[in-house]
Amino acid sequence: MSISLIPMRDELNVRPGRLFIGGSWRDWDGERFDQIHPATNEVMTSFPEAGRRGVDEAVAAARRAFDEGPWPHMRAQDRKRLLQPIVERFYAAEREIAQLQTLDNGIPFTFSRNSRVSAKAAADIFDHYLGWIDKINGETYPQFSSASNMQYMTFREPVGVVAAILPWNGPVLTFALKVAPALACGCTVVVKPSEYTNLAVMRLAEIIAESDLPPGVFNIVTGAAEAGTALSSHQGVDKVTFTGSPVVGEKITIASAPSMKRLSLELGGKSAALVFPDTQSVAAAATTLMGLCSTFLSGQVCSTPTRAVVHRSIMDEFLHHAAEQVKKVRFGDPFDPATTSAPIISRRQRAKILGYIETGKREGAELMFGGGTPGGELANGNWIDPVLFANVRNDMTIAREEIFGPVLSVIPFDTEEEAIRIANDSEYGLAGCVYTANVNRAFRVARAMRSGSIGVNGYASIPNAPMGGVKRSGVGREGGWPTIEAFTELKTVNFNLDG
Ligand code: NAD
């Protein structure tokens, strides 16, 4: 018998979605779309396709709340007091939000509840940004010349109406990474979740809707590319904060150019992990790297090092441990604690990944294992057995393009210089890793790699340290003070002291 998520859907009382605009929930009289679960291809419910009309209404509400409402000018402690109960309610509802996230994208419930994409992590991110509210300060400048007697100072003011466009793979995490700093800085927001994953984000929205935020400060619309385009080209939007693919990032950049919107773009990656022979444990490196490509979101994570650049002298040992790791992978009902891995988000994406696997074989990479599509009770889901390609050259398609699936490409190297050259020979630069027990090498290589962040002997991002990409991996950083800068504009004011 096939897995079914209908009983869980009914237990969680999932209802058709609505829009939240200007402080009230709106039923939608226009088109709707179905949200399909990737583990079973069953319909979870439907959501409004907001399109340009819904976006116009939401942006108008956010604009009014910004231009005429109290939110942007509110005293720090008052703004914090209004946001604090939301954080507490996120914590209180964390289990239900985690369940809904698993019902969204099929991430195993254990990870949905306990990892860095959990509702607890999202609440922590809100908590972090609430801490900045009374520290968003400007600077004063010394007098420059005797020609005038002016005192100069800067103020950080909210950037305005923010459009937050979310991906499907970490809906709860990315919601928090965008909405929390926007609200903390005094901006008003229109959120658009991915068309694949609306359930958990809608629950977060319900909690915000029940708070005492002034109407129009927070709005949410659902829909696909049309709604995204409407947001990123809208004259009433001052800033777009986006996490998603580089192709869409490019479209947003072009659509937003006429009104010179501020942009934060967290895009894709093709990160490299360099594994040197002096690493403390080849087994640990291989298990981690293969684990990132085969468990959790099954390699559908932007920062996953999908190129393992491994010294030739430890290659056999590396491949052996990677193969051992894959034996621990279990597909199945995402609510079963034994399930280790998520399905591929859609049939279309699964076909695309299978296409990459064929291209890898055709271009001469050595398929060590994986690439099957399980049948039986899994036949209705979008599963792919995790893949390892050995003897990959960096000019092969599978080493150059973001596959966004359970595929690890292993590239051999002989010298440190060659390893760095391979790592940097990519149009991406999001994250990277270096595995070595030699401290000098660790620093040397970490500094030489062109990437927004680097992990030494392991990689993880945290919300209070900046994360983001260079090259096609994005623009700007999320995490800590750089985010506050990205959600505020500097205003310089001078006082004529003789006036
Ligand atoms: P996607 O680009 O397909 O979609 C992201 C969002 O953009 C969705 O809400 C979608 O509806 C919207 N959209 C689609 N077309 C649009 C358009 N023309 N204009 C405006 N919006 C539009 O990405 P995805 O499949 O949801 O997510 C996977 C991608 O996200 C991968 O490339 C991954 O690397 C990247 N990602 C990056 C980070 C990071 O922090 N750098 C984190 C997670 C995911």
Side-chain angles (χ1 to χ4, degrees):
M1 214 170 70
S2 299
I3 300 167
S4 174
L5 291 164
I6 301 298
M8 188 48 108
R9 180 195 75 177
D10 294 344
E11 189 184 321
L12 288 171
N13 202 20
V14 169
R15 293 270 166 263
R18 294 178 294 169
L19 308 179
F20 184 70
I21 296 176
S24 55
W25 287 100
R26 304 268 182 93
D27 289 320
W28 187 242
D29 54 3
E31 254 182 76
R32 302 182 73 85
F33 63 94
D34 287 338
Q35 186 177 309
I36 311 283
H37 199 282
T40 61
N41 282 294
E42 294 166 312
V43 174
M44 293 293 108
T45 187
S46 74
F47 285 92
E49 179 56 74
R52 185 160 287 279
R53 176 161 65 94
V55 164
D56 277 348
E57 288 179 30
V59 173
R63 196 71 265 166
R64 253 190 324 276
F66 189 80
D67 294 338
E68 298 160 27
W71 188 247
H73 317 287
M74 204 173 261
R75 297 202 176 175
Q77 284 305 322
D78 293 339
R79 194 184 290 151
K80 204 167 170 178
R81 229 169 265 128
L82 285 179
L83 290 170
Q84 195 69 55
I86 295 174
V87 182
E88 302 317 324
R89 294 211 47 207
F90 283 176
Y91 280 122
E94 61 81 17
R95 185 167 190 278
E96 183 195 358
I97 297 166
Q99 287 172 318
L100 289 167
Q101 182 166 242
T102 294
L103 218 49
D104 270 323
N105 62 11
I107 183 172
F109 178 62
T110 342
F111 289 119
S112 189
R113 186 141 193 228
N114 297 309
S115 72
R116 69 196 164 90
V117 301
S118 68
K120 284 180 276 194
D124 286 344
I125 290 168
F126 266 79
D127 215 27
H128 167 70
Y129 284 107
L130 258 59
W132 278 113
I133 294 178
D134 57 9
K135 299 167 192 72
I136 304 174
N137 57 339
E139 292 176 328
T140 56
Y141 298 83
Q143 303 285 68
F144 191 74
S145 81
S146 52
S148 66
N149 190 16
M150 299 274 196
Q151 176 61 59
Y152 282 78
M153 60 188 70
T154 54
F155 294 84
R156 283 207 166 269
E157 300 185 342
V159 71
V161 172
V162 172
I165 304 178
L166 312 182
W168 66 265
N169 65 341
V172 171
L173 170 78
T174 50
F175 177 95
L177 285 171
K178 295 174 184 333
V179 175
L183 294 180
C185 289
C187 303
T188 60
V189 192
V190 180
V191 179
K192 191 200 84 59
S194 162
E195 57 275 32
Y196 294 109
T197 51
N198 299 279
L199 300 174
V201 167
M202 277 297 163
R203 185 70 192 101
L204 297 171
E206 276 169 19
I207 291 174
I208 297 182
E210 285 158 13
S211 75
D212 292 326
L213 291 194
V217 167
F218 174 85
N219 309 273
I220 187 159
V221 295
T222 50
E226 192 192 337
T229 308
L231 275 171
S232 49
S233 59
H234 205 292
Q235 291 291 329
V237 169
D238 298 294
K239 176 185 171 81
V240 179
T241 171
F242 169 74
T243 296
S245 61
V247 171
V248 173
E250 221 175 290
K251 289 182 183 166
I252 288 174
T253 306
I254 293 166
S256 67
S259 51
M260 293 291 170
K261 296 188 201 320
R262 283 25 182 172
L263 291 181
S264 297
L265 303 175
E266 293 287 333
L267 308 178
K270 193 74 201 175
S271 300
L274 311 191
V275 189
F276 287 93
D278 55 12
T279 184
Q280 209 152 41
S281 163
V282 177
T287 305
T288 303
L289 296 174
M290 195 64 233
L292 289 170
C293 282
S294 59
T295 62
F296 186 51
L297 281 159
S298 297
Q300 300 169 102
V301 176
C302 54
S303 55
T304 300
T306 49
R307 290 183 298 153
V309 184
V310 179
H311 194 268
R312 234 178 264 279
S313 66
I314 51 170
M315 184 58 79
D316 289 346
E317 195 183 347
F318 183 93
L319 295 177
H320 166 76
H321 288 292
E324 287 301 302
Q325 202 287 328
V326 160
K327 291 180 188 159
K328 297 180 197 142
V329 168
R330 293 282 173 279
F331 295 155
D333 182 333
F335 288 94
D336 180 344
T339 301
T340 60
S341 313
I344 308 306
I345 190 63
S346 64
R347 285 274 180 207
R348 209 174 96 203
Q349 175 63 8
R350 185 172 77 160
K352 195 170 157 196
I353 297 169
L354 293 174
Y356 274 119
I357 296 169
E358 287 311 308
T359 306
K361 288 194 267 185
R362 203 176 52 248
E363 291 182 0
E366 198 178 333
L367 179 71
M368 302 298 285
F369 51 77
T373 50
E377 64 162 4
L378 299 170
N380 291 340
N382 312 329
W383 309 94
I384 297 183
D385 294 327
V387 170
L388 186 143
F389 275 113
N391 280 320
V392 175
R393 282 193 329 269
N394 203 44
D395 62 356
M396 291 177 179
T397 307
I398 55 169
R400 304 215 70 79
E401 296 185 12
E402 186 187 40
I403 297 174
F404 222 56
V407 181
L408 181 65
S409 294
V410 182
I411 306 173
F413 77 90
D414 293 302
T415 66
E416 185 179 305
E417 294 70 27
E418 186 191 2
I420 294 168
R421 204 166 46 243
I422 291 170
N424 289 344
D425 177 18
S426 170
E427 60 181 20
Y428 294 105
L430 187 59
C433 282
V434 46
Y435 285 90
T436 176
N438 177 331
V439 176
N440 292 344
R441 191 201 294 275
F443 269 96
R444 203 164 54 230
V445 175
R447 293 300 308 272
M449 285 170 79
R450 277 206 72 202
S451 175
S453 37
I454 298 288
V456 176
N457 297 325
Y459 174 84
S461 58
I462 52 170
N464 54 344
M467 196 258 171
V470 301
K471 301 193 264 182
R472 256 176 93 73
S473 289
V475 174
R477 295 290 180 272
E478 275 181 342
W481 177 251
T483 315
I484 300 298
E485 290 185 341
F487 282 87
T488 51
E489 291 278 13
L490 267 187
K491 179 185 281 175
T492 307
V493 174
N494 68 277
F495 285 84
N496 184 348
L497 299 177
D498 294 334

